[in-house]
Amino acid sequence: MSNQSASALLNVKDITVRFGGIVALDSVSFDVPRNKVCGLIGPNGAGKTTLFNCLSRLYQYQAGDLLFSGQSITHTPVHAMSTIGIGRTFQNLAMFRTMTVRQNVMVGAHARSAGGFIGTMLKTPTVRAEEKQLVEDADALLSYLKLSEFADRAVGDLSFGTQKRVEFARALASKPKMLLLDEPAAGLNHTELSDLADFIRTVRDDMGITVLLVEHHMSLVMEVSDWIVVLNFGKKIAEGTPEEIQRNPEVIRAYLGDGN
């Protein structure tokens, strides 16, 4: 993948994160190619979520750089991440539970809103036209993800698996170039897992969105990933195709121990 570095959507370059005396990420580097699914795996405590939080600008890193579409995002504020094209879901659902499904999805779309605070308050023609478009876009996404029947239901009244799909719709509403999926399989049953795999492939193949996936569910990672990066104790220990990762001795040791 290193020879594709220049054409990658995301370049992770020597990222180092320390919390006090603990090194959470130790000079981690890898590239994520455009329009692919990249799985980020490793045992508990490997540094996966820490790296995600760096990409979301929730954490600051002490060394290294992150390049998105060739531009450093080191000084990009949290609120601007969706604007530059990075969307995210979370391990724990972060939904507005009393708002409807449609309203939750429109929250994601508002990241692209150009009306401004004053225009929104005064309901100018521009704002009204934009709001109408946001509703149409939200309904199109709900239809796409088979959520139309829940459009006017409060999110908090829905099943966990359905709430997960609403969160995906909200993340997609900002029209990201890259979607960060943080443990999306957590809490899902077998049928919902199959739907999730289909969703990830659809995002890549039909919507042309690059996916970076943190997940403990190995069969899902192996099924949907084009490329996999493996972390252990804050270091990158391997990267390659799913087939290469499954055969990698260092990866096997990281998950199963060395037998001593």
Side-chain angles (χ1 to χ4, degrees), residues 135-158:
V135 170
E136 291 175 0
D137 290 349
D139 284 345
L141 267 176
L142 294 180
S143 175
Y144 195 68
L145 293 176
K146 299 180 174 63
L147 288 166
S148 296
E149 65 182 294
F150 307 111
D152 298 311
R153 294 268 302 277
V155 166
D157 295 339
L158 303 176

